[in-house]
Amino acid sequence: MFLAALIACAFSGILILIRIILGQTTFDRVLAVNSLGTIIVIGIALHGFYTNRPEFLDIAIVYALINFIGTVAVLKLFSTGSLGEQKK
Amino acid sequence: MISELIINAFLVTVMLAIGIALLRTRTLIFTVVLTSAYSLVAALMFITLDAVDVAFTEASVGAGISTILFLAAMAYLPKEEEENINSQTLPALTCILLGGILIWCSYDLPEIGLLSSPVHQHIVPDYILGSRDDIGIPNIVTSVLASYRGYDTFGETIVVFTAGVAVLVLLKNNTQTSKQKNKNSKRKVS
């Protein structure tokens, strides 16, 4: 069961990778990289259960947080043109 | 065992694809985003190699902090980017040569996880057996980093601290010659 889920993850990962490489706008690509991060989070969790070591689950949580922070940072740079300080 | 091989081959292929996409891209922000994706896949690779602590570091530093630092640096760059007019033949040749030498050298490395390799024979058994009695904490990696190899870690910390101080000094000299409002904004980033 975990193996089938892993294969499904890998397949959707390939589809997202195609979207990253061929994506038209930067937003497409940012969204695709964010989705790839989500796939990787699921992949870590599934790999942990597949190899009978679900202790690695907390790393998946760290990944989810980092993925979120990275995407927010990129989009904030897009919307305000800077990270944090006031625009002059 | 064969499934491990398939997973590793798949991850390496994904990393290779991202690397080629990195080579072909000409937009700075997309380069930063792709580097972040590359780090995420590399961290997954470290997990399948059982190096969980390295994976943790790669995820938080490689994919998290360095992405945000690159973006913060990018906020100071002009919006338009110039075409790169330098020749890329010599750097490409250098990279291919270096990669070839490294792959050639990797054939002399002992097999991964081989118990009789020098890395696992020299002093590691002492660390593994004595860690509980000498240091008294259950995590062997932490006891090696913080106690057995404490002076090495201390040296690394000094190097990183020196680099940070040097960057601060450079930024300070830069702001003294420019205007006051520039000074405030650069302080926040540093």
Side-chain angles (χ1 to χ4, degrees), chain B:
Chain B
M1 213 54 221
I2 191 78
S3 65
E4 287 289 304
L5 194 69
I6 292 172
I7 291 173
N8 282 347
F10 174 74
L11 288 179
V12 169
T13 316
V14 169
M15 284 164 79
L16 194 67
I18 296 178
I20 291 172
L22 259 174
L23 275 180
R24 293 167 54 85
T25 180
R26 287 287 171 265
T27 326
L28 213 49
I29 191 151
F30 183 44
T31 313
V32 173
V33 170
L34 267 187
T35 318
S36 162
Y38 185 87
S39 285
L40 276 175
V41 183
L44 186 53
M45 182 94 197
F46 285 133
I47 286 185
T48 62
L49 289 173
D50 272 355
V52 186
D53 44 339
V54 186
F56 236 106
T57 317
E58 178 72 38
S60 52
V61 176
I65 299 296
S66 68
T67 307
I68 295 169
L69 280 183
F70 279 138
L71 289 174
M74 264 185 64
Y76 288 100
L77 294 177
K79 284 272 181 282
E80 289 83 25
E81 296 172 20
E82 284 181 24
E83 195 76 17
N84 186 8
I85 52 167
N86 296 328
S87 164
Q88 294 173 343
T89 323
L90 188 64
L93 276 180
T94 315
C95 286
I96 291 172
L97 188 71
L98 190 66
I101 290 175
L102 285 176
I103 291 173
W104 180 49
C105 290
S106 74
Y107 283 108
D108 271 352
L109 286 175
E111 198 184 329
I112 291 177
L114 192 66
L115 269 179
S116 59
S117 68
V119 186
H120 298 299
Q121 287 301 314
H122 175 49
I123 202 164
V124 169
D126 290 346
Y127 287 170
I128 292 175
L129 292 176
S131 170
R132 181 188 286 266
D133 296 332
D134 292 348
I135 320 290
I137 48 178
N139 192 333
I140 297 177
V141 174
T142 310
S143 69
V144 169
L145 271 181
S147 181
Y148 285 119
R149 292 282 170 211
Y151 283 114
D152 294 359
T153 311
F154 185 54
E156 287 165 17
T157 316
I158 288 177
V159 169
V160 173
F161 178 72
T162 315
V165 168
V167 168
L168 281 181
V169 167
L170 285 174
L171 282 180
K172 191 158 192 243
N173 276 345
N174 195 15
T175 46
Q176 271 171 357
T177 55
S178 60
K179 290 175 189 169
Q180 187 70 30
K181 58 182 179 183
N182 248 346
K183 195 173 179 177
N184 288 337
S185 61
K186 274 180 184 165
R187 280 261 170 83
K188 272 178 193 166
V189 171
S190 62

Side-chain angles (χ1 to χ4, degrees), chain A residues 29 33 44 53 56 59 63 66, chain B residues 30 33 43 50 52 56 59:
Chain A
R29 290 166 158 174
V33 168
I44 293 168
R53 278 186 303 177
F56 295 166
I59 294 174
Y63 266 47
I66 284 164
Chain B
F30 183 44
V33 170
D50 272 355
V52 186
F56 236 106

Side-chain angles (χ1 to χ4, degrees), chain A residues 1 4 6-7 15-16 20-22 25-26 30-32 34 39 46-47 50 72-73 76-77 88:
Chain A
M1 188 179 73
L6 265 181
I7 292 170
L15 291 181
I16 291 170
I20 290 175
I21 293 170
L22 299 179
T25 65
T26 314
V30 169
L31 189 62
N34 190 23
I39 291 291
L46 284 174
H47 181 264
Y50 178 62
V72 166
K76 182 162 188 190
L77 187 72
K88 290 178 278 289

Side-chain angles (χ1 to χ4, degrees), chain A residues 25-87:
Chain A
T25 65
T26 314
F27 289 109
D28 283 345
R29 290 166 158 174
V30 169
L31 189 62
V33 168
N34 190 23
S35 313
L36 184 70
T38 312
I39 291 291
I40 286 175
V41 169
I42 300 170
I44 293 168
L46 284 174
H47 181 264
F49 280 107
Y50 178 62
T51 52
N52 284 326
R53 278 186 303 177
E55 302 91 19
F56 295 166
L57 210 58
D58 38 356
I59 294 174
I61 297 170
V62 171
Y63 266 47
L65 292 173
I66 284 164
N67 196 21
F68 171 71
I69 292 171
T71 311
V72 166
V74 172
L75 294 179
K76 182 162 188 190
L77 187 72
F78 266 119
S79 65
T80 64
S82 62
L83 291 177
E85 70 266 35
Q86 293 291 316
K87 254 195 121 176

